[in-house]
Amino acid sequence: MRSAFVLGLALLAAPAFAATPPLGSLKLPPGFQIAVWTDQVPDAREMALGAKNTVFVGSRDAGKVFAVTYAADGKVDKVRTVASGLQLPVGVAFHGGDLYVSAISRIYVFRDIENHLDAPPKPELVTDKLHAETAHGWKFIAFGPDNKLYVPVGAPCNICDRGDEGFAQLLRMNPDGSGVETVARGIRNTVGFDWRPTDKSLWFTDNGRDMLGDDMPSDELNHVTKPGEHFGYPYCHQGDTLDPEFGKGKNCKDFTPPVLKLGAHVAALGMRFYNGKQFPAAYHGALIVAEHGSWNRTAKSGYRVMSVRLNGNKVASYEPFVEGFLVDEKVSGRPADVQPLPDGSLLISDDDNGAIYRVTYKKP
């Protein structure tokens, strides 16, 4: 199991960059259009909105953080590198004029970043107290409605029980790194979470374990309803399946089940609630989820962007929003994150092409 997991990481660490982003194969619902916003962001992962028409973009293997500035019409003005040489700086979060960046065991902050894009400030250390393991060690980060920074700590393995060491958890801390608390446990690897605007509740994606076959277990969409609740890993998967090794003596009823099974090996990553006005009313309040795609499934799965409509805390629908990155088992792109812009359009990062797409809507 260990060797297969390492092989999977190796495959993910060496993406096959396409010559041009694959717009011709992409399909969206009627009225939606997609265009390349920029193709100058190598290995683009998490995105975060600044306050002055800036989108900050983390990366994984590129080790860089980018700042994409754009004009009033939404078109890109300039792409700058504002940090480099960092260890897997996937996560970016903007708060109070400052940019926070994750780097495995550390969180850095770049003060007053938008006023210094051409001469970025030196990073200040927020914390260096996080685990140093790189397996599931890259971190999607975000500030919640409580003004605290939320930081996941993934399991350092495909399947193992190291929760008492602080793995497989979602943490939160004050902006200065103090006051660390555990928000949720039993989370193998979340690389996407957001808060529903209506009630400020926290929702997150979680990647299921490998090596149980093509169709087990499913990735998950989860909803946090109380502090510290346990979502099952490594004992119970997808809310109803005990692990063959770590599930002995356990009961899935003792853990919080997912709100939605997203599909096996789809690699659900970044997700955001859509709260804009540009898209049709049916999308208002919906979750938009980037599915990065499988690495070890016989027939590939994922490689798409999905919409999840909710009715209260239950799922009303789960439907493709952008598909066509996977055609006849050939991959032309890998969605990693989604981010609505203030005008109601939607950005999608694609680390395989080093690109960000922009989705807009006009009534047919």
Side-chain angles (χ1 to χ4, degrees):
M1 290 184 185
R2 179 72 181 174
S3 61
F5 179 65
V6 172
L7 173 61
L9 290 179
L11 292 172
L12 288 173
F17 284 86
T20 56
L23 294 184
S25 66
L26 300 184
K27 298 179 181 179
L28 294 86
F32 288 93
Q33 295 84 35
I34 189 168
V36 175
W37 200 56
T38 177
D39 59 2
Q40 301 300 311
V41 280
D43 199 38
R45 280 281 187 138
E46 186 182 359
M47 298 176 283
L49 286 179
K52 300 179 180 179
N53 284 18
T54 310
V55 173
F56 296 99
V57 188
S59 69
R60 211 180 77 144
D61 303 299
K64 297 180 178 181
V65 178
F66 305 94
V68 184
T69 52
Y70 60 96
D73 62 359
K75 293 183 179 178
V76 170
D77 172 52
K78 191 173 183 178
V79 179
R80 300 170 174 88
T81 299
V82 294
S84 59
L86 300 178
Q87 186 182 23
L88 307 182
V90 166
V92 287
F94 185 82
H95 181 72
D98 302 328
L99 178 67
Y100 290 73
V101 178
S102 67
I104 305 296
S105 63
R106 301 182 175 202
I107 304 289
Y108 294 104
V109 62
F110 296 78
R111 302 291 185 191
D112 194 26
I113 184 66
E114 284 185 295
N115 290 324
H116 300 90
L117 294 177
D118 290 315
K122 291 183 178 180
E124 297 178 15
L125 183 66
V126 174
T127 183
D128 59 359
K129 302 295 192 294
L130 301 169
H131 287 292
E133 281 82 351
T134 55
H136 299 148
W138 53 91
K139 295 171 175 63
F140 177 108
I141 61 175
F143 276 88
D146 52 8
N147 290 316
K148 292 182 181 289
L149 179 64
Y150 285 66
V151 180
V153 182
C157 55
N158 173 36
I159 185 74
C160 58
D161 188 359
R162 295 179 62 181
D164 58 354
E165 299 175 52
F167 291 100
Q169 298 182 4
L170 179 62
L171 309 176
R172 67 178 177 184
M173 62 186 70
N174 295 321
D176 64 0
S178 65
V180 177
E181 303 171 287
T182 298
V183 176
R185 299 175 295 138
I187 302 169
R188 180 176 178 269
N189 184 34
T190 178
V191 194
F193 46 87
D194 196 13
W195 291 262
R196 183 163 55 183
T198 53
D199 62 4
K200 312 303 182 187
S201 63
L202 176 59
W203 299 65
F204 67 91
T205 59
D206 192 17
N207 284 202
R209 65 158 291 181
D210 296 312
M211 309 306 165
L212 287 184
D214 280 352
D215 300 315
M216 286 289 294
S218 180
D219 285 5
E220 301 174 2
L221 174 65
N222 291 291
H223 178 208
V224 178
T225 60
K226 58 184 178 181
E229 67 186 301
H230 199 295
F231 289 86
Y233 178 88
Y235 315 117
C236 177
H237 307 295
Q238 66 176 35
D240 57 14
T241 301
L242 289 173
D243 187 81
E245 180 180 357
F246 294 98
K248 295 175 183 178
K250 303 293 184 180
N251 190 326
C252 282
K253 293 181 179 179
D254 295 332
F255 308 106
T256 302
V259 175
L260 176 64
K261 298 177 185 178
L262 297 170
H265 308 294
V266 298
L269 301 186
M271 51 158 274
R272 296 292 197 289
F273 281 95
Y274 182 79
N275 201 35
K277 304 295 184 183
Q278 186 179 131
F279 291 3
Y283 289 91
H284 296 179
L287 269 168
I288 310 296
V289 181
E291 295 184 353
H292 197 232
S294 59
W295 65 269
N296 66 338
R297 193 171 187 271
T298 304
K300 294 180 176 67
S301 60
Y303 303 96
R304 59 190 181 178
V305 177
M306 301 292 286
S307 67
V308 181
R309 295 186 180 94
L310 300 173
N311 182 4
N313 292 333
K314 295 184 178 181
V315 173
S317 66
Y318 175 51
E319 299 173 341
F321 181 63
V322 182
E323 54 185 344
F325 293 104
L326 173 64
V327 178
D328 296 329
E329 290 297 295
K330 295 181 179 179
V331 174
S332 59
R334 304 193 75 180
D337 193 20
V338 294
Q339 176 63 66
L341 286 179
D343 68 354
S345 61
L346 179 77
L347 301 181
I348 301 169
S349 62
D350 171 2
D351 62 350
D352 203 29
N353 289 292
I356 298 175
Y357 313 106
R358 181 175 175 230
V359 177
T360 55
Y361 176 80
K362 289 184 180 180
K363 187 175 181 179

